[in-house]
Amino acid sequence: MQSQKLSYRELTDCIRSAVEAEGWLSLWRGLGPTLLRDVPFSAMYWYNYERAKAFLCQRYNTTEPTLSISFISGALSGSFASIVTLPFDVVKTRRQVELGELQAKNLSCRGSSTFTCMRRIVAEQGFSGLFAGFLPRLIKVAPACAIMISTYEFGKAFFRKQNFERSLQSSNAK
């Protein structure tokens, strides 16, 4: 549905027809592979980001991460997490495409499980099929994670400084 340009009315009609045809649970189709991708991704991302940041801060003898340390740590940790969780992204995308094809033919969809879909991909394309789109995902995720975390760290340092200066002003005014 994301690839179609639907008006709000068409979107409402689409949701209504999906619920009528397949029930409320049809609105959460794809939740399994999305959670299997996003929860481990976030856990690995934040853990590895903090480890890389600490390592680089120690290596460059600084207590606070610089913009480049945050950027590099974010890119590396995002790259690692995206590679490990790529099979679940492949499954999610495959199921979205299959669902779109079925909807285009006005056929009902009783989706298979995430792991059934993974087995089918391996049977058709081999184990490497679970890593289809490796490079495009890496090209998208690494810079996005680097930019996000650099912005976060910059904002955190900026507001910490603002709050510190404000507290100094208020204590000097007393």
Side-chain angles (χ1 to χ4, degrees):
M1 286 176 43
Q2 288 176 326
S3 64
Q4 302 169 358
K5 299 211 185 297
L6 298 177
S7 68
Y8 288 113
R9 177 147 175 74
E10 291 169 315
L11 180 60
T12 303
D13 292 343
C14 185
I15 292 170
R16 186 176 299 118
S17 67
V19 170
E20 287 172 2
E22 299 176 46
W24 283 100
L25 289 180
S26 68
L27 298 179
W28 281 270
R29 189 173 288 120
L31 179 64
T34 300
L35 290 175
L36 287 169
R37 179 195 64 182
D38 292 352
V39 172
F41 179 95
S42 293
M44 283 183 275
Y45 172 77
W46 285 103
Y47 175 79
N48 288 313
Y49 169 71
E50 291 296 335
R51 299 264 327 235
K53 179 177 76 170
F55 173 79
L56 290 173
C57 282
Q58 183 179 15
R59 174 128 166 77
Y60 292 104
N61 211 17
T62 181
T63 56
E64 291 298 318
T66 62
L67 183 64
S68 60
I69 287 174
S70 297
F71 193 89
I72 291 166
S73 300
L76 290 174
S77 60
S79 296
F80 177 77
S82 71
I83 293 166
V84 173
T85 59
L86 182 58
F88 298 110
D89 190 58
V90 169
V91 169
K92 179 195 69 71
T93 303
R94 166 81 65 103
R95 291 176 77 188
Q96 285 175 330
V97 168
E98 289 172 352
L99 179 61
E101 290 170 352
L102 289 171
Q103 286 177 337
K105 297 174 185 173
N106 287 327
L107 297 173
S108 176
C109 175
R110 297 286 177 208
S112 60
S113 75
T114 298
F115 295 103
T116 301
C117 187
M118 291 176 99
R119 281 194 294 276
R120 190 167 19 114
I121 291 169
V122 170
E124 293 169 3
Q125 301 171 335
F127 186 74
S128 64
L130 293 173
F131 292 88
F134 167 83
L135 193 57
R137 181 156 163 81
L138 204 56
I139 290 170
K140 174 188 146 204
V141 172
C145 287
I147 292 166
M148 182 278 299
I149 201 67
S150 299
T151 305
Y152 168 78
E153 290 287 1
F154 176 81
K156 189 169 75 169
F158 175 81
F159 289 112
R160 182 181 297 136
K161 182 181 174 193
Q162 294 296 314
N163 289 337
F164 179 73
E165 289 173 359
R166 190 175 301 133
S167 70
L168 280 179
Q169 289 172 351
S170 88
S171 67
N172 287 339
K174 290 180 181 180

